[in-house]
Amino acid sequence: MSDFNQKIEKLYDEVRQVYLEDSYPWVIGFSGGKDSTATLQLIWYAIRDLPKEKRLKKIYVLSSDTLVETPVVVDHIINSLDSIDRVSREKGLPFSSHKVEPEKDDTFWINLIGKGYPAPSQRFRWCTDRLKIQPANKFILDRTSGGQQVIMVLGARKDESASRAQVIKNSKENAQKQSGIKGSLIRPHTSLANAYVYTPIENFSTKDVWEYLLAWPSPWGDTNRDLAAMYKSAQDGECPLVIDKSTPSCGNSRFGCWVCTVVSVDRSMEAMIDNGEEWLMPLLDFR
């Protein structure tokens, strides 16, 4: 067995250990991008190999639709969520998909045109909180009512950026100070009471993510090579499930909003058009 295969098997063992430690349901943030896909796939394979009588905790696969996502990405995510539900039912697994959207009064066009908000900018990025943080947090809060606790499973990686690595390091150190336990694999959420965070691929490099996705097939029937093709010729980033303001913004990523005005050029949509998606030209022209 190769060193990388051994690393994956150890991670499967770790996932099963964390899953069986308590009765808290899991919420996996799924944006359809490479990091969240690798995280969900890792969890899926690990939990699949548990005896049926031990697969008791629910695992919610949570996707956030801002209603202004790039249409190619919307189709990809909807198809994935449908496959996740269908295969999970067929295999008797505890996964179920859920797509959240902003409240009508918080949507992009109602704020921009209806309320007269200026277009989002680096200094006034009102969109992140309304379109992403609030819908995701509402889903989590609904499941922590009455004191119920929940574990958020996220695809955050230290390799994403120096700032992301520092956020993960600081949150782990704060968690250890609060609990007095070193080496804990979960840590308290920064702003949501009764919520914890687990980041199983935090030590993966970008190369590790792609090696895992291309060597292990999608267990719910997607084609990971199609995902790789979506990243071709565009910046290798994605828009993660945003649960607080420490989460990095989408920037020039492949998985972001087509209306994004925080960046001056939408290189991702340009790359999609260059790769044959000419029908997106009207959106690029409008932008």
Side-chain angles (χ1 to χ4, degrees):
M1 185 182 291
S2 70
D3 289 344
F4 187 71
N5 284 7
Q6 288 180 341
K7 179 180 180 179
I8 296 300
E9 291 300 327
K10 285 182 180 177
L11 262 177
Y12 288 155
D13 289 339
E14 175 190 296
V15 168
R16 287 188 283 264
Q17 173 196 333
V18 176
Y19 181 80
L20 295 172
E21 274 180 351
D22 51 59
S23 60
Y24 309 158
W26 284 13
V27 178
I28 302 179
F30 181 70
S31 70
K34 67 184 192 311
D35 294 337
S36 63
T37 300
T39 301
L40 176 56
Q41 181 169 302
L42 187 83
I43 302 299
W44 189 294
Y45 275 121
I47 301 306
R48 182 198 66 177
D49 290 341
L50 280 173
K52 185 175 181 179
E53 63 271 15
K54 291 189 176 182
R55 300 195 300 253
L56 300 177
K57 290 180 8 175
K58 291 183 178 179
I59 302 178
Y60 303 103
V61 179
L62 181 63
S63 181
S64 178
D65 185 356
T66 62
L67 304 180
V68 282
E69 304 291 329
T70 303
V72 173
V73 176
V74 173
D75 290 345
H76 168 68
I77 292 174
I78 289 174
N79 291 336
S80 294
L81 295 179
D82 287 345
S83 297
I84 287 164
D85 281 338
R86 175 177 52 79
V87 176
S88 179
R89 286 194 302 268
E90 290 173 355
K91 304 292 185 183
L93 296 172
F95 298 88
S96 62
S97 72
H98 302 266
K99 185 159 68 76
V100 296
E101 299 174 352
E103 297 288 339
K104 184 169 68 173
D105 284 354
D106 288 331
T107 55
F108 182 84
W109 297 113
I110 282 183
N111 278 279
L112 188 79
I113 298 175
K115 297 180 182 178
Y117 275 46
S121 65
Q122 291 286 0
R123 297 185 66 180
F124 185 40
R125 191 179 293 166
W126 53 263
C127 52
T128 301
D129 186 60
R130 288 167 175 78
L131 304 186
K132 287 184 169 289
I133 295 176
Q134 290 182 21
N137 284 358
K138 182 179 184 300
F139 181 91
I140 298 163
L141 288 169
D142 286 346
R143 278 143 192 84
T144 57
S145 61
Q148 171 67 52
Q149 295 173 305
V150 68
I151 294 177
M152 291 289 304
V153 185
L154 304 176
R157 295 185 297 110
K158 296 174 184 175
D159 188 53
E160 288 177 77
S161 65
S163 61
R164 194 57 180 160
Q166 192 61 46
V167 167
I168 293 173
K169 181 175 181 290
N170 290 345
S171 62
K172 282 200 163 187
E173 288 176 351
N174 291 337
Q176 289 171 8
K177 288 177 184 176
Q178 291 177 29
S179 65
I181 302 172
K182 288 188 176 181
S184 175
L185 294 170
I186 65 170
R187 57 189 185 274
H189 189 281
T190 55
S191 59
L192 293 176
N194 298 324
Y196 298 85
V197 175
Y198 173 41
T199 49
I201 66 164
E202 64 180 46
N203 293 314
F204 269 32
S205 64
T206 300
K207 177 179 178 293
D208 289 337
V209 172
W210 284 119
E211 182 174 350
Y212 178 59
L213 289 174
L214 296 177
W216 277 262
S218 168
W220 55 88
D222 281 0
T223 304
N224 288 336
R225 292 192 180 277
D226 288 347
L227 178 63
M230 287 184 68
Y231 276 86
K232 186 180 178 183
S233 302
Q235 293 210 4
D236 198 11
E238 67 184 80
C239 192
L241 181 77
V242 182
I243 56 171
D244 57 45
K245 291 187 169 78
S246 70
T247 309
S249 64
C250 307
N252 293 326
S253 71
R254 164 74 66 180
F255 292 78
C257 302
W258 73 268
V259 295
C260 184
T261 52
V262 177
V263 293
S264 57
V265 179
D266 190 341
R267 301 192 189 282
S268 293
M269 187 175 289
E270 288 180 351
M272 288 181 184
I273 292 169
D274 289 343
N275 286 324
E277 304 285 356
E278 290 93 349
W279 60 276
L280 291 172
M281 277 297 298
L283 295 188
L284 190 66
D285 290 343
F286 182 85
R287 179 190 144 77

